[in-house]
Amino acid sequence: MKLNGNVPEGDLKTLWEQHKFNMKLVNPANRRKFKAIVVGSGLAGSSAAASLAEMGYNVDCFCIQDSPRRAHSIAAQGGINSSKSYPNDGDSIYRLFYDTVKGGDYRAREANVHRLAEVSGNIINQCVAQGVPFAREYSGYLANRSFGGAQVSRTFYAKGQTGQQLLLGAYSALSRQIKSGQVTMHTRTEMLDLVMVEGKAKGIITRNLHTGSIDRHAADVVLLCTGGYGNVFFLSTNAMGSNVTAAWRAHKRGAYFANPCYTQIHPTCIPVHGENQSKLTLMSESLRNDGRVWVPRKKEDVAAIRKGTKTAKDIADADRYYYLEERYPAFGNLVPRDVASRGAKLECDNGLGVNDTGEAVFLDFSAAIERDGYEAIKARYGNLFDMYQCITADSPYDVPMKIYPAIHYTMGGLWVDYNLMSNLDGLFVLGEANFSDHGANRLGASALMQGLSDGYFVAPYTVSNYLGSNKQETVSTDMPEFEAAENAVKETNQKLLDINGKQSVDDIHKRLGKMMWEYCGMARDKNGLEKLVKDTSELRKEFWSDVSVVGENADLNITLEKAGRVADFLELGELMGRDALAREESCGGHFREESQTEDNEAKRDDENFQHVAAWEFKGVDNEPERHIEELEFKHCIPSQRSYK
């Protein structure tokens, strides 16, 4: 089946403004009659909940953390993109649009990306009004820096804490609505099922993570803002609580899952240091503004560094291979993340990795410190340098960082149309939980932009349009659909508790993560992906027969929480393998070794794969059905990406 993105007709430059005018409105006096459920309280969730409540809608907002301030959005470090062009260096709405489409390797819907670029300036205005402490120039103007995939400086930042500061701004708006009574906040509460009534999303089933209570919640519309699924790899830069469960349970109720194999590998992370590690730590892409990436040219120098008989400082500049600068002179160290990550992998595969495992490259700030001075570099990156030193005991002021790519973000997600509504009536999906804006690779500093765009400037219009265009029948949690969904959740939880196996949840999750990284990580091929589909299916069956889930259902039970999430990751991992196997091309973060240029760059197949792949769930043991949405490019004509 071919999907329709419901993109309105018209000139791309005025498309969103005209669409807003054509959408149905809800009278302010009538908005209090409607209720919206917002699942997730990160940037997309908090901004959406606060905006809808400010308009007069009643909102129930849910998060698994003890406060919305602990949502994973706080982990974003480097900045947020906007086309304001304060440095007067040639930026524009169109250039941000073009860079984003190109950066995603021409696998995103043009209309959605242009809208994102169009509202990006409003986001900065909104956040400044909320008091977000963006960095400023001496003159008082907001400062900008550069990120990968762009030749202009368009990234606004708050030192290395941009995500945290933006979330505090959104949280302040949300808190205002909580105090006014327009938002009811449900913390430490996890969505475990979506309730469909006569083909429309009308509520959710949740579990109180403190008491174990299974509860029903009804509304006129449901918004999922639950982030990405990078923890399917076990080791990622995501918070350990980040999961796919809300989106996956919606998928099992009929929502299509789009492009699940599109995962982003971030090139600047602290390398894995042991078998017992539980997560990885991001080092912001902003560091590549001043840090130079290199490895020794000579393998004898590599061996000496690994043995400890030489340090990075002992390697003469002529013997340093600044491989990004040499391969991509136009962009240098600021190539997009997929390109930089594959570059690091290639050099480490060639035996030039500089740590004990052979999986690390240097990120060196010595030239920047010599050029700009210690205090200037400290002002830009001080908290990031401190974080690195706390973890590794090395000071980046004195020695280069050691970095290696790691799973960071997922471009795939639930399929949505131009209005951010899934194929399920009344189910909207915002932020990283949807697939819509980044194609096969996200540019740095664009995640925060998308989350706030969706929550502040898109969903308030499109949700109102949905409510104003469709008669909303009264929905009660006493309806049989709610009872059936609640019983299904209880049965699943009890089934997990009754297995009484020998393997821990974390052990099985770790095995899944190794499979995913090996066969669906930075490089993929047909044989590996076929093995992944087979192995994840077998591991899933092993999980349901031999996992150990201790404790009670009706109580605080962290093991039960993890078990439910890993059960969903196991099913997702199999789907990711199928999606990567079906997409017989390379594009962005999806790199099929059979499809590459002579220079080892990703080689697309536009004739056969210029489309979105959206998968329909057909049962746990049944093969899913693959639907497509054709992508049409009228403004950004696809070409072989080049950053040279």
Side-chain angles (χ1 to χ4, degrees):
M1 182 177 78
K2 290 192 176 182
L3 296 169
N4 181 2
N6 294 319
V7 177
E9 295 292 331
D11 181 5
L12 187 67
K13 293 181 181 178
T14 59
L15 193 66
W16 174 237
E17 287 299 318
Q18 188 62 46
H19 186 53
K20 285 195 294 183
F21 178 76
N22 292 336
M23 283 192 279
K24 297 286 186 183
L25 300 176
V26 178
N27 186 291
N30 289 333
R31 293 175 195 160
R32 65 177 65 98
K33 300 175 183 178
F34 297 110
K35 176 181 277 192
I37 283 175
V38 178
V39 185
S41 65
L43 286 180
S46 286
S47 59
S51 299
L52 291 170
E54 183 75 37
M55 295 169 71
Y57 295 109
N58 299 298
V59 179
D60 277 3
C61 186
F62 299 81
C63 70
I64 61 174
Q65 298 87 1
D66 56 4
S67 166
R69 289 179 299 130
R70 293 185 180 273
H72 184 58
S73 297
I74 67 166
Q77 298 168 351
I80 177 171
N81 286 333
S82 175
S83 59
K84 280 183 168 292
S85 193
Y86 281 176
N88 196 29
D89 58 357
D91 202 9
S92 64
I93 289 172
Y94 190 86
R95 188 175 295 279
L96 175 54
F97 158 65
Y98 174 80
D99 286 346
T100 305
V101 172
K102 177 185 175 183
D105 218 350
Y106 304 95
R107 289 295 178 262
R109 196 187 288 143
E110 274 194 336
N112 287 62
V113 179
H114 192 276
R115 176 176 63 192
L116 177 65
E118 194 176 334
V119 304
S120 64
N122 295 341
I123 296 170
I124 303 303
N125 296 342
Q126 170 89 356
C127 295
V128 169
Q130 290 173 336
V132 173
F134 286 120
R136 292 180 180 268
E137 304 287 0
Y138 179 77
S139 62
Y141 288 114
L142 297 181
N144 289 103
R145 58 189 177 197
S146 299
F147 261 60
Q151 291 181 303
V152 296
S153 295
R154 63 163 66 103
T155 305
F156 294 77
Y157 62 98
K159 208 168 186 179
Q161 308 169 356
T162 313
Q164 181 179 9
Q165 298 303 324
L166 291 172
L167 185 59
L168 288 173
Y171 174 67
S172 67
L174 179 62
S175 296
R176 179 173 178 271
Q177 298 305 321
I178 293 171
K179 185 175 182 180
S180 73
Q182 286 297 120
V183 174
T184 301
M185 192 71 219
H186 303 263
T187 58
R188 298 293 291 150
T189 304
E190 183 169 23
M191 172 185 159
L192 294 182
D193 209 348
L194 177 71
V195 180
M196 300 294 295
V197 178
E198 296 181 355
K200 298 181 179 181
K202 290 297 181 182
I204 62 174
I205 305 297
T206 64
R207 182 174 183 270
N208 184 305
L209 300 181
H210 279 307
T211 66
S213 171
I214 305 297
D215 302 305
R216 310 173 187 179
H217 303 272
D220 299 292
V221 65
V222 177
L223 288 75
L224 292 188
C225 313
T226 50
Y229 48 88
N231 277 349
V232 68
F233 290 85
F234 186 73
L235 287 178
S236 80
T237 65
N238 290 180
M240 291 183 66
S242 297
N243 63 83
V244 76
T245 289
W248 192 253
R249 303 293 170 90
H251 173 57
K252 295 176 81 167
R253 288 291 180 184
Y256 295 165
F257 211 110
N259 301 334
C261 76
Y262 287 172
T263 53
Q264 180 165 84
I265 317 291
H266 198 295
T268 51
C269 300
I270 298 178
V272 175
H273 65 255
E275 280 294 312
N276 297 318
Q277 195 166 347
S278 58
K279 77 176 300 294
L280 297 174
T281 303
L282 168 72
M283 287 286 104
S284 170
E285 181 168 322
S286 62
L287 295 170
R288 287 195 279 141
N289 273 277
D290 290 301
R292 301 180 71 190
V293 181
W294 65 276
V295 291
R297 293 185 185 273
K298 301 175 182 177
K299 289 193 175 180
E300 54 265 35
D301 286 337
V302 173
I305 288 172
R306 291 183 188 177
K307 289 179 183 177
T309 57
K310 279 188 177 181
T311 68
K313 290 183 177 180
D314 296 324
I315 309 301
D317 197 64
D319 293 329
R320 298 180 178 188
Y321 180 24
Y322 297 98
Y323 56 88
L324 293 179
E325 296 176 23
E326 291 188 26
R327 281 187 212 149
Y328 309 101
F331 283 75
N333 293 296
L334 286 173
V335 292
R337 291 173 176 178
D338 60 320
V339 177
S341 295
R342 283 197 294 275
K345 182 180 186 300
L346 180 64
E347 298 313 322
C348 290
D349 288 349
N350 288 337
L352 299 180
V354 296
N355 67 348
D356 293 341
T357 66
E359 293 186 335
V361 299
F362 286 129
L363 183 62
D364 194 337
F365 296 89
S366 57
I369 292 172
E370 183 178 348
R371 181 187 68 236
D372 298 336
Y374 169 88
E375 291 298 332
I377 299 303
K378 182 179 180 181
R380 290 174 203 158
Y381 312 118
N383 66 309
L384 298 172
F385 280 25
D386 291 345
M387 186 191 312
Y388 182 88
Q389 185 169 7
C390 284
I391 293 171
T392 67
D394 289 331
S395 170
Y397 297 108
D398 300 323
V399 297
M401 287 183 176
K402 291 177 182 177
I403 58 167
Y404 194 70
I407 292 292
H408 175 60
Y409 187 90
T410 52
M411 287 75 68
L414 294 183
W415 182 88
V416 292
D417 66 7
Y418 185 68
N419 294 317
L420 302 185
M421 190 166 78
S422 73
N423 60 295
L424 297 183
D425 214 32
L427 177 66
F428 290 78
V429 190
L430 281 59
E432 190 179 354
N434 74 32
F435 88 100
S436 68
D437 290 1
H438 305 297
N441 175 67
R442 177 177 67 77
L443 292 185
S446 288
L448 306 182
M449 178 173 61
Q450 187 208 349
L452 292 178
S453 167
D454 289 355
Y456 281 138
F457 299 109
V458 180
Y461 293 96
T462 59
V463 170
S464 291
N465 177 58
Y466 171 78
L467 294 173
S469 302
N470 298 274
K471 184 178 180 182
Q472 303 300 316
E473 304 292 342
T474 302
V475 179
S476 166
T477 55
D478 295 328
M479 298 176 76
E481 291 87 349
F482 282 86
E483 182 179 4
E486 179 184 336
N487 289 338
V489 166
K490 289 179 176 178
E491 288 171 11
T492 299
N493 286 353
Q494 194 58 50
K495 184 179 178 182
L496 288 166
L497 290 164
D498 289 344
I499 295 171
N500 198 27
K502 296 179 180 179
Q503 299 185 61
S504 75
V505 175
D506 281 345
D507 283 344
I508 292 178
H509 191 184
K510 190 178 293 186
R511 287 170 60 192
L512 171 66
K514 287 183 177 179
M515 291 178 189
M516 298 301 299
W517 182 249
E518 177 71 20
Y519 302 118
C520 203
M522 279 192 281
R524 306 154 182 192
D525 62 45
K526 183 175 185 289
N527 291 336
L529 291 169
E530 287 176 343
K531 180 174 171 54
L532 177 65
V533 171
K534 177 176 175 289
D535 289 354
T536 49
S537 177
E538 291 176 354
L539 184 61
R540 171 172 52 81
K541 293 171 184 175
E542 187 178 335
F543 171 89
W544 282 103
S545 63
D546 196 37
V547 74
S548 173
V549 183
V550 298
E552 302 289 332
N553 194 357
D555 199 358
L556 174 70
N557 191 334
I558 294 173
T559 306
L560 179 60
E561 293 172 31
K562 287 184 179 180
R565 296 167 189 169
V566 171
D568 295 329
F569 279 140
L570 286 162
E571 295 173 10
L572 169 65
E574 183 177 345
L575 181 64
M576 290 172 66
R578 291 184 184 278
D579 187 47
L581 188 61
R583 188 170 284 278
E584 296 176 341
E585 66 162 353
S586 292
C587 54
H590 170 63
F591 190 77
R592 287 286 296 265
E593 293 188 333
E594 307 95 327
S595 182
Q596 54 183 304
T597 67
E598 293 180 359
D599 320 358
N600 304 113
E601 303 289 355
K603 184 178 180 181
R604 296 192 320 273
D605 179 356
D606 293 337
E607 183 178 350
N608 295 303
F609 293 101
Q610 190 171 291
H611 59 244
V612 176
W615 295 85
E616 180 181 0
F617 182 76
K618 292 291 186 178
V620 172
D621 292 313
N622 300 322
E623 190 168 327
E625 184 175 354
R626 188 177 189 266
H627 306 287
I628 65 170
E629 178 198 344
E630 297 287 355
L631 294 172
E632 186 178 1
F633 294 94
K634 297 180 179 178
H635 300 82
C636 298
I637 306 305
S639 61
Q640 176 64 41
R641 279 195 315 168
S642 174
Y643 292 95
K644 295 187 176 183

